Amino acid sequence: MLAWLGVRLSRTPQNLPLRALTGLAACLSLAFPFGLAADREATVLGLSPMMSRLIQHGMLLIGVTCLVFFFLFSALEPRKAWPRARRFAVPLAAAEAVLIVTAALAPPDVHSSSSPAGAVFTITADLYLAFGFATAFLWARRYACEANPRLARGLRIASIGLAAIVLANCVFVPEIILRWAGALSPSALAETNGAAATVLGAAAAAVFLLPGVVIFLAGVIYPAAAMRVTALRVWAGHRRVYRQLDPLWTVLHAHFPDDELQRVTPSPWHDLFRLRGMHRRYYRRVVECRDGLVRISPYLPPQTSEENRRYDDLARSLKHALAARAAGQQAQSVHATRVVVAATDSLDADVRELVSLSRAMNSTGDA
């Protein structure tokens, strides 16, 4: 995901929401391995577990700030968003300073919350994360009121996940205080480290944090996924119509091969497996069918609007007209007219008429 965002950012470097989203992905990617090292009390790159925990939480704090910036720059104009972003950087700097000082004072070979400095370290991180995610929640709800329906639905789903994450952090803070004060009995301890080192913390992680992360990611992915599903549905419809028009197109193309629109893509195989390739072939076939019908129309008998819907009779007339033209007979008219005119002036209605005629061409047999 980070690589994909990086490629997109390289194409539009002035996109401020994309910058913030890329920063969020970069922070999460950097925080994850150091968090694993801290949980396993491993020394990585000469860094003690506490220093790994510092890097992890420091990146998480910057990441949640990037998330807030994403909503700020998406919902507001840059001239209004920048002052808010600068103000939001003040609590971030304060929280990062507290993390650095407490990490330096905490013993390097113990869990981050088992000493006074370690407890302050973890509480500060959880409080800031709760503050940051709560701010993102509020901006997500606000932005959803102004966004298009698909994006608004995704933002509302994401906001539910953000609310669950905030609840988890709100449970972690008193749990850390009680654990540091010795108010929790040994039976309340869990078999995990970090904020979920007690049954209460593990329950908060299982009930709020993990589902919240999943719901938030689902909300973020939803607009793009829904758009892709819609695109696939349109692609499938175009592919179906493309095949349904084949009987009509085949007979017209045999008599008017010069009406074929030339392929504009430089790579036919690349075009074959792209969504746009099917759309291009669909529109070409519709235009070619319509052009062929206009060219053969002088050989067709006049059609009333009622007869226009009798596709079997029209299909027979079309085959006779094509045969008459191929035999060099005289056309019945010197003027070209539209054939199978749709009741409404729209491409979809026009395509439905062509499909009905194509089916009739396939069912009437040879002329």
Side-chain angles (χ1 to χ4, degrees):
M1 181 178 181
L2 178 60
W4 178 72
L5 289 172
V7 172
R8 292 194 60 188
L9 184 61
S10 66
R11 296 173 180 172
T12 56
Q14 303 303 321
N15 189 326
L16 296 177
L18 185 58
R19 283 188 190 180
L21 204 59
T22 306
L24 170 62
C27 290
L28 295 180
S29 300
L30 186 59
F32 181 74
F34 285 98
L36 288 179
D39 289 340
R40 298 173 181 176
E41 299 184 7
T43 299
V44 179
L45 302 177
L47 300 174
S48 65
M50 191 62 200
M51 290 299 103
S52 295
R53 187 72 72 189
L54 172 63
I55 296 175
Q56 177 201 12
H57 282 72
M59 290 295 101
L60 289 177
L61 266 58
I62 297 175
V64 73
T65 304
C66 290
L67 178 62
V68 175
F69 287 174
F70 167 76
F71 288 114
L72 281 176
F73 290 114
S74 298
L76 302 176
E77 297 178 358
R79 61 182 181 84
K80 295 182 179 180
W82 274 116
R84 293 175 180 268
R86 294 188 185 98
R87 288 196 296 269
F88 201 89
V90 175
L92 171 64
E96 293 284 8
V98 173
L99 292 186
I100 294 173
V101 172
T102 52
L105 296 176
D109 55 348
V110 296
H111 294 306
S112 60
S113 59
S114 59
S115 65
V120 174
F121 174 93
T122 309
I123 291 172
T124 301
D126 285 334
L127 284 176
Y128 186 88
L129 290 175
F131 164 69
F133 283 119
T135 305
F137 166 83
L138 295 175
W139 278 105
R141 301 296 295 187
R142 176 177 174 177
Y143 188 31
C145 298
E146 305 172 0
N148 62 71
R150 184 186 293 117
L151 178 58
R153 193 174 297 113
L155 288 171
R156 293 189 180 99
I157 295 173
S159 67
I160 296 174
L162 291 171
I165 295 173
V166 172
L167 288 175
N169 283 280
C170 290
V171 173
F172 290 156
V173 172
E175 182 266 341
I176 293 170
I177 296 175
L178 293 175
R179 192 197 330 165
W180 172 65
L184 296 176
S185 62
S187 61
L189 296 178
E191 295 181 357
T192 58
N193 298 324
T198 65
V199 173
L200 178 62
V207 176
F208 296 117
L209 182 60
L210 296 180
V213 171
V214 173
I215 295 173
F216 170 73
L217 293 177
V220 171
I221 295 172
Y222 175 82
M227 185 180 300
R228 181 56 61 182
V229 170
T230 301
L232 288 174
R233 189 179 296 119
V234 173
W235 178 89
H238 284 180
R239 181 174 180 269
R240 181 176 62 255
V241 172
Y242 178 83
R243 292 187 171 186
Q244 290 172 340
L245 288 176
D246 187 68
L248 176 61
W249 179 86
T250 300
V251 69
L252 290 174
H253 178 67
H255 289 80
F256 307 107
D258 52 325
D259 281 350
E260 182 179 9
L261 300 176
Q262 296 298 319
R263 185 180 298 274
V264 296
T265 176
S267 175
W269 285 105
H270 183 62
D271 181 60
L272 181 63
F273 294 102
R274 294 182 64 190
L275 293 181
R276 292 180 182 177
M278 174 52 65
H279 301 322
R280 188 180 297 114
R281 293 192 295 274
Y282 161 80
Y283 289 116
R284 285 211 332 261
R285 177 152 292 188
V286 171
V287 172
E288 289 167 4
C289 287
R290 178 54 69 194
D291 289 347
L293 289 174
V294 171
R295 293 190 62 178
I296 196 61
S297 62
Y299 290 85
L300 290 172
Q303 299 285 321
T304 65
S305 59
E306 291 79 10
E307 292 172 336
N308 195 43
R309 300 298 184 269
R310 297 168 60 182
Y311 299 105
D312 290 341
D313 293 341
L314 181 57
R316 295 188 184 93
S317 298
L318 177 59
K319 292 181 178 181
H320 287 298
L322 291 170
R325 180 185 179 277
Q329 299 180 12
Q330 185 72 24
Q332 300 185 27
S333 172
V334 295
H335 300 290
T337 59
R338 293 183 62 186
V339 183
V340 290
V341 180
T344 59
D345 188 15
S346 69
L347 177 62
D348 291 338
D350 198 35
V351 168
R352 284 194 293 269
E353 300 291 339
L354 293 176
V355 168
S356 298
L357 177 58
S358 182
R359 289 173 176 169
M361 295 288 292
N362 199 34
S363 61
T364 55
D366 296 333

